[in-house]
Amino acid sequence: MTRRNAWTSSPWDADPLSWFTSPNLPLAAAVLGGVHGALVLTVSGQAGSRPLVQVAALVVAVGALLGVHVATRPPRGALTLRRAIPLALLSSAALVLSAWGYRGEPFAVELWWAPLVSSLTLLAMAPYASSQRLSLVGAVVFVVGAVTVLALVVPDEQSWPPYTTTMIALFPIVIGTLGGVLLVQAITSGLARWSERPLELAPKTADDGTLIAEVDAVTTARIADATQLIRGVLERGSVSDGDARLAAQLSERLRDELTADVDRTWLERVAQGQPVRVDDEHRLADQLDLAQRTALRALLDALLAPDDARIGLARLELRRTDHGAIAVALRIASAMPEGRRETFLAPYYVGLKSTVDKLRWRSGPLTAVEFEVSGGAPASTPLRTPPAGSPGGPRR
């Protein structure tokens, strides 16, 4: 199941388009961290006897946040450990420098700005790091912070016991790590559930009674033959050899139907009862990663919207290529004018472009979308400007 991969996927991996259109969280964190540090050093009078050291530390801390902003700008995408660890060490260096600036003199540790800015650095990484990567990065910042506090802060602190001083100083880092990990896990797990949820069985205007009646009708039709057999046996008061043979046949058929329901791929469950035909003999849909499922599911939701935005009918085919990739072909039959259809589908084209390879899009009365994905869980492809003449791309 895709939900199991939520621990190793970042929100950007799961839904690149959302974070592509809102990429300025690290920049906002840099502004917040800089303003907070400046207020603590000036208005709160916590610059100490070496104010230039504190200013230098604040510049380094804000630089780490700006580094996160630069490192996550398109087309770089999700944060790798190779980019995240140096930025975490840079933020930790600011904390060490600030603690060294207070060396030999007491200060209000509860107002210390450096741990909070380190926490902001971790939170700024959250949209672009998986829970695993963020946990590791947070552990690095925590260890450096703990050693720094015990070596440079605790010996000079007179207002609080050593344990309390350590907890006060490290609490923002712990909250930043745990908060970021929980945020990433909640977003990726939620997107996994969203991508696999069944489509509406009834129009949005239908009440619960209508929906229950439809489900009852499907169940009644499935067990109609079995019900008739049981009723006949009860009326006669005996079971004949023919009844036994028919019961065996009916039980075999029901078992096959129920087994088929369980064994359907997420894509087949999504398309059941809707104008989408899925041809996936080898269950390749289950090998698409979270980002690819999210992009494909968003396109299907738009295609099957129960309002004026509905496009038409669709057919999805999944095949294994000679070099081991998964080829996906989507055909959309629609009476919508071509210009309106391209405008409507452009955002979904960009979403697919960020997660798949060899994307091809042909417009006309029958819109054709073809792409390939690797058989495993491929890394997200960087966002690129769509080719001229394609949805979302420049006009020829």
Side-chain angles (χ1 to χ4, degrees), residues 241-255:
D241 292 340
D243 292 334
R245 288 192 296 270
L246 181 57
Q249 294 172 1
L250 290 176
S251 64
E252 177 112 8
R253 191 200 74 191
L254 288 173
R255 184 186 63 186

Side-chain angles (χ1 to χ4, degrees), residues 17 295 298-302 344-353 359 361:
L17 186 57
L299 180 59
L300 288 175
D301 273 359
F344 181 75
L345 293 174
Y348 307 103
Y349 175 92
V350 176
L352 281 171
K353 188 72 174 178
L359 177 61
W361 191 296

Side-chain angles (χ1 to χ4, degrees), residues 150-211:
L150 292 175
L152 299 178
V153 178
V154 169
D156 297 322
E157 178 59 43
Q158 301 175 358
S159 302
W160 302 97
Y163 173 81
T164 305
T165 299
T166 304
M167 290 299 100
I168 292 174
L170 297 181
F171 184 72
I173 297 175
V174 173
I175 291 300
T177 302
L178 291 179
V181 168
L182 291 176
L183 174 66
V184 172
Q185 192 70 13
I187 292 175
T188 53
S189 298
L191 283 169
R193 289 191 297 270
W194 173 85
S195 69
E196 297 187 11
R197 79 193 193 284
L199 290 167
E200 297 287 341
L201 292 176
K204 292 182 179 179
T205 55
D207 56 23
D208 292 341
T210 303
L211 182 58

